[in-house]
């Protein structure tokens, strides 16, 4: 027994040394690397388990199946050239194109879907009208009233001959019973078992969650945004009601880009390529908006989530309005926000007053004073819980999707944002956010004037910011 204990301790120390070296090579900042090295070498019994779950921010096994396939390389090139914008947008799409590894394309249209009723009425109508196939992906699906309504429509579609592909994130949908998935399979839908797919399987596995919310019907209409599938998103939970959120309905070639993201996620999850079974020729919409899907995540070589926000903020000359339920930015995005405000740009952050997750809510207070000192306005939505992820830059760029203004979305989760380089889209988003500001109050109290539990909790919560 004594020999076994000694052997286990030696293995633990060797793991700690190896992980410390990994931290030196891969941790983004010197402070972070030093912190990991000290923890791993001084307390390996604590540091090794923590590093296993928190110390990785790249998912090297993620495969970009569609873009790497020689079989479809030529159609991709034709798609790019056939849908190139006729006129350059006012804000250059170039940095966003490089982040996404996709081109901005013309011929699109969008419809804002404000809150749960509008969102799921539109999604359900599209599913009911499906002729060929439906692709469905959500971070959270509950087996409740809304979840069963989605299930019923997918089963009905499958029974009338529509192909259905369905999968959820294993962590976000950890309490979804297997009977829910079995009913879909019995109807003929193709369903990924989240417990047998790539990626995290248990709630305490914090990294590499797929936070995207995607529905695509027949390759011609797509949906993405902040809403998951659960009664709380319909405002039926009195603790958070009314629930304020935003989805977007997409038409045009940008739907094919959203579909590409789904195909890659499906391939990543179970290794199956479904490219040939789908329609990649979405018709041009009359509105002819220039748009781009920007998928980001830990499978990318660059830290694309943070670069997305940095690029948008850096492009602003007049204003940057960001609606986000969580405000835990990294140092680069924090600096970009302050620089923009100091340069005279109207920088506003719209965040919820209502708490859903205490630690990130508290951590945000540790950033507010620094931001406000530079001229950033902090607006707190006070009519229920606000969960939307929306960005507006000047009068020319609007974005709706799944990405929060926090480190988790920046580098640990798989996310997606739909960008519109279009004045009409920007005007619609401006009007929507103006209504939200009218239901909010402008923050004026500094941290030292907050209640004691916030004063004491905020700096402690900020210590966890790399994984919030």
């Amino acid at each position: 027994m004594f020999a076994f204990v000694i052997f286990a301790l030696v293995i633990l120390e060797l793991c700690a040394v190896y992980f410390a070296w990994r931290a030196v090579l891969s941790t983004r900042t010197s402070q972070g690397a030093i912190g990991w090295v000290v923890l791993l070498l001084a307390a390996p019994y604590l540091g090794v388990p923590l590093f296993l779950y928190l110390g990785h921010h790249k998912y090297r096994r993620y495969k970009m199946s569609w873009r790497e396939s020689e079989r479809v390389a030529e159609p991709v090139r034709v798609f790019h050239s056939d849908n190139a914008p006729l006129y350059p947008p006012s804000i250059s799409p170039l940095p966003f194109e490089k982040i996404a590894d996709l081109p901005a394309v013309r011929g699109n249209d969008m419809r804002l879907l404000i809150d749960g009723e509008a969102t799921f009425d539109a999604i359900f109508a599209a599913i009911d009208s499906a002729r060929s196939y439906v692709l469905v992906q959500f971070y959270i699906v509950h087996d409740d009233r809304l979840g069963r309504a989605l299930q019923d429509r997918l089963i009905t579609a499958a029974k009338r001959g529509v192909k259905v592909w369905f999968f959820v994130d294993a962590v976000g949908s950890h309490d979804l019973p297997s009977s829910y998935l079995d009913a879909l399979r019995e109807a003929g839908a193709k369903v990924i078992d989240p417990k047998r797919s790539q990626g995290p399987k248990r709630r305490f596995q914090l990294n590499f969650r797929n936070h995207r919310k995607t529905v695509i019907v027949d390759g011609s209409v797509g949906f993405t945004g902040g809403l998951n599938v659960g009664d709380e998103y319909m405002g039926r939970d009195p603790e958070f009601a009314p629930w304020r959120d935003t989805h977007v309905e997409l038409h045009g070639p940008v739907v094919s880009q959203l579909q590409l993201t789904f195909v890659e996620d499906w391939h990543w999850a179970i290794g199956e390529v479904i490219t040939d079974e789908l329609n990649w020729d979405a018709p041009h919409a009359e509105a002819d908006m220039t748009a781009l899907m920007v998928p980001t995540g830990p499978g990318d070589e660059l830290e694309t989530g943070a670069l997305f926000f940095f690029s948008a903020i850096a492009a602003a000359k007049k204003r940057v309005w960001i609606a986000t339920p969580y405000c835990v930015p990294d140092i680069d995005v924090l600096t970009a926000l302050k620089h923009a405000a100091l340069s005279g740009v109207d920088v506003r952050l719209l965040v919820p007053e209502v708490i859903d997750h205490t630690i990130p809510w508290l951590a945000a207070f540790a950033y507010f004073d620094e931001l406000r000192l530079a001229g950033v306005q902090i607006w707190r939505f006070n009519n229920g819980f606000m969960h939307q992820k929306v960005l507006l830059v000047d009068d020319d760029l609007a974005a709706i999707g799944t990405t929060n203004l926090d480190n988790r979305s920046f580098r640990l989760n798989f996310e997606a944002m739909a960008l519109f380089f279009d004045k009409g889209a920007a005007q619609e988003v401006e009007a929507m956010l103006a209504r939200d500001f009218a239901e909010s109050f402008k923050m004026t109290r500094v941290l030292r004037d907050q209640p004691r539990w916030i004063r004491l909790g905020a700096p402690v919560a900020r210590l966890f910011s790399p994984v919030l």
Side-chain angles (χ1 to χ4, degrees):
M1 182 65 181
F2 180 75
F4 175 78
V5 171
I6 295 298
F7 176 76
L9 289 174
V10 170
I11 294 299
L12 185 64
E13 290 290 348
L14 290 174
C15 289
V17 171
Y18 173 71
F19 289 155
W21 178 243
R22 286 278 302 272
V24 169
L25 294 178
S26 63
T27 304
R28 190 167 175 267
T29 65
S30 58
Q31 297 95 327
I34 291 170
W36 276 119
V37 169
V38 170
L39 177 62
L40 285 161
L41 299 184
Y45 51 87
L46 178 62
V48 168
L50 283 175
F51 190 83
L52 284 170
Y53 291 107
L54 303 178
H56 308 280
H57 66 278
K58 292 294 181 186
Y59 200 93
R60 300 299 181 187
R61 289 177 290 172
Y62 187 86
K63 295 294 185 182
M64 300 297 185
S65 60
W66 201 70
R67 275 173 268 176
E68 290 182 351
S69 172
E70 289 297 328
R71 182 165 44 86
V72 295
E74 183 59 30
V76 170
R77 285 191 287 270
V78 172
F79 175 85
H80 292 181
S81 60
D82 287 352
N83 297 287
L86 299 178
Y87 305 99
S90 301
I91 292 178
S92 172
L94 184 59
F96 305 101
E97 291 176 324
K98 290 184 178 297
I99 291 167
D101 195 21
L102 291 167
V105 290
R106 71 177 190 276
N108 303 287
D109 198 2
M110 57 85 78
R111 179 164 70 106
L112 288 177
L113 301 171
I114 299 173
D115 295 329
E117 184 175 355
T119 296
F120 287 100
D121 281 352
I123 289 174
F124 289 168
I127 294 172
D128 291 345
S129 65
R131 297 182 177 182
S132 180
Y133 63 86
V134 179
L135 312 178
V136 179
Q137 172 190 16
F138 281 99
Y139 177 60
I140 295 172
V141 174
H142 291 314
D143 186 18
D144 57 14
R145 180 176 165 187
L146 181 63
R148 288 188 290 273
L150 173 64
Q151 181 192 51
D152 289 345
R153 280 173 166 80
L154 293 176
I155 288 174
T156 300
K159 287 183 175 179
R160 70 171 187 268
V162 173
K163 294 181 179 179
V164 175
W165 283 268
F166 178 91
F167 78 107
V168 296
D169 182 82
V171 177
S173 299
H174 64 93
D175 61 351
L176 186 66
S178 57
S179 59
Y180 186 101
L181 305 177
D182 291 341
L184 291 170
R185 291 191 188 97
E186 290 170 6
K190 297 180 180 180
V191 180
I192 292 178
D193 183 349
K195 296 179 182 178
R196 297 182 179 179
S197 66
Q198 294 270 18
K201 308 294 190 302
R202 296 173 294 276
R203 293 187 69 182
F204 59 85
Q205 291 181 278
L206 296 181
N207 297 350
F208 313 131
R209 300 179 186 182
N210 199 315
H211 194 239
R212 294 167 182 158
K213 298 96 176 169
T214 301
V215 176
I216 298 167
V217 175
D218 295 339
S220 60
V221 58
F223 302 87
T224 191
L227 288 110
N228 288 293
V229 182
D231 284 348
E232 66 269 33
Y233 294 87
M234 300 295 288
R236 296 171 185 156
D237 186 336
E239 184 179 356
F240 301 109
W243 186 282
R244 174 69 189 90
D245 220 326
T246 302
H247 236 60
V248 64
E249 178 179 326
L250 307 171
H251 296 268
V254 73
V255 175
S256 296
Q257 296 184 341
L258 180 62
Q259 184 167 264
L260 166 60
T261 305
F262 181 96
V263 167
E264 291 172 343
D265 286 345
W266 188 275
H267 179 270
W268 167 69
I270 61 171
E272 179 185 12
V273 178
I274 61 173
T275 307
D276 291 343
E277 300 184 65
L278 307 179
N279 167 39
W280 297 96
D281 190 21
H284 280 208
E286 185 176 346
D288 200 29
M289 295 179 179
T290 295
L292 170 66
M293 281 305 307
V294 181
T296 61
D300 301 334
E301 290 298 323
L302 297 174
E303 291 183 340
T304 47
L307 281 169
F308 163 77
F309 276 104
F310 186 94
S311 300
I313 297 163
K317 296 180 175 61
K318 174 183 174 183
R319 67 176 167 197
V320 178
W321 293 358
I322 301 173
T324 177
Y326 313 112
C327 178
V328 191
D330 68 1
I331 190 169
D332 294 335
V333 173
L334 185 68
T335 300
L337 288 167
K338 293 188 294 182
H339 180 267
L342 290 168
S343 301
V345 175
D346 175 15
V347 182
R348 303 187 194 183
L349 297 182
L350 179 64
V351 297
E353 174 71 3
V354 174
I355 304 172
D356 75 327
H357 297 298
T358 302
I359 299 301
W361 187 89
L362 273 175
F365 280 86
Y367 297 90
F368 288 154
D369 285 358
E370 184 178 354
L371 287 165
R372 290 175 56 243
L373 188 63
V376 177
Q377 299 177 38
I378 309 296
W379 290 79
R380 303 190 67 80
F381 187 81
N382 200 29
N383 183 25
F385 181 67
M386 191 212 71
H387 187 253
Q388 63 179 325
K389 304 91 164 55
V390 175
L391 169 72
L392 176 66
V393 176
D394 295 346
D395 299 318
D396 309 289
L397 175 63
I400 304 99
T402 73
T403 310
N404 299 312
L405 192 75
D406 61 18
N407 286 288
R408 175 152 299 282
S409 282
F410 289 173
R411 55 184 57 87
L412 300 178
N413 285 348
F414 293 95
E415 308 279 6
M417 294 292 285
L419 275 65
F420 300 91
F421 301 86
D422 183 85
K423 292 184 181 298
Q427 288 173 357
E428 290 188 49
V429 170
E430 176 188 16
M432 178 186 70
L433 292 180
R435 293 192 296 271
D436 291 332
F437 285 126
E439 296 187 278
S440 309
F441 66 90
K442 188 176 178 181
M443 187 175 181
T444 57
R445 285 199 296 177
V446 296
L447 182 59
R448 66 174 178 269
D449 295 331
Q450 298 291 340
R452 178 177 294 180
W453 73 279
I454 295 178
R455 294 198 311 269
L456 300 178
V460 175
R462 185 172 181 169
L463 295 176
F464 298 93
S465 62
V467 294
L468 295 179

